[in-house]
Amino acid sequence: MDSQDKLTPALCAKGCGFFGSPENKNLCSKCYKDYLKEEVITKTADKLSELVITPSSDDKNPAVVSNETASTTTTTASSTTVLKNRCECCGKKVGLMGFKCRCGKTFCGVHRYAKEHSCTFDFKNFDRQILAKQNPLVAGDKLDARI
């Protein structure tokens, strides 16, 4: 009977109903992943709370970096990298076949045309400026008698 108790794995320490393992602190795989995520978040929060920028002699206002501003900058940086390979209109993955518009956004094959994605780029004005640079105004002499 004692040999059967040793072979039977213990239930998860968080009480989710699945079996835990001693390598994972008696947690199931899902609870252990959640535990690791929380641990990483608390460690980075502790490191960020220790970070304080002292004002220099040129600054009039003291600058202090808080946890909220640091976390929002990392969130925005990661979200922009994720959206680079997706269509701005429909969110479809475009991969290497994405079409870069003059407005600076990436689109799929359906939304690649300016009318399809309501492009804000002024094509007429841009092309007029190019034509003005390529074709300068040439003014001839008004008096024919000059040599």
Side-chain angles (χ1 to χ4, degrees):
M1 181 111 172
D2 291 331
S3 62
Q4 288 181 350
D5 291 336
K6 291 180 183 177
L7 296 176
T8 306
L11 289 177
C12 179
K14 286 201 173 184
C16 65
F18 290 103
F19 292 108
S21 65
E23 299 93 31
N24 297 344
K25 299 184 180 183
N26 289 331
L27 296 172
C28 66
S29 60
K30 184 180 181 307
C31 293
Y32 186 68
K33 285 179 185 177
D34 294 341
Y35 167 76
L36 289 177
K37 286 179 185 177
E38 290 174 9
E39 189 175 284
V40 168
I41 290 171
T42 55
K43 284 183 181 179
T44 55
D46 292 339
K47 288 180 183 178
L48 289 176
S49 63
E50 293 173 3
L51 177 65
V52 175
I53 299 173
T54 58
S56 64
S57 60
D58 298 340
D59 294 338
K60 295 179 182 177
N61 296 332
V64 177
V65 176
S66 66
N67 293 342
E68 296 170 7
T69 56
S71 64
T72 55
T73 55
T74 57
T75 305
T76 56
S78 65
S79 65
T80 55
T81 57
V82 170
L83 296 178
K84 279 188 177 181
N85 61 349
R86 291 190 176 266
C87 176
E88 292 285 331
C89 290
C90 61
K92 179 181 176 183
K93 286 185 180 179
V94 292
L96 297 174
M97 295 301 298
F99 294 93
K100 190 87 170 169
C101 182
R102 289 186 182 175
C103 61
K105 298 177 182 176
T106 306
F107 298 100
C108 65
V110 175
H111 298 108
R112 66 182 173 188
Y113 301 111
K115 290 181 181 178
E116 294 294 325
H117 68 264
S118 303
C119 189
T120 58
F121 186 78
D122 190 7
F123 290 96
K124 282 186 181 180
N125 203 5
F126 181 74
D127 290 336
R128 285 179 183 158
Q129 289 174 357
I130 290 176
L131 283 175
K133 289 179 185 176
Q134 289 177 349
N135 300 322
L137 182 62
V138 178
D141 196 11
K142 292 187 179 185
L143 297 176
D144 293 331
R146 289 191 198 172
I147 296 178

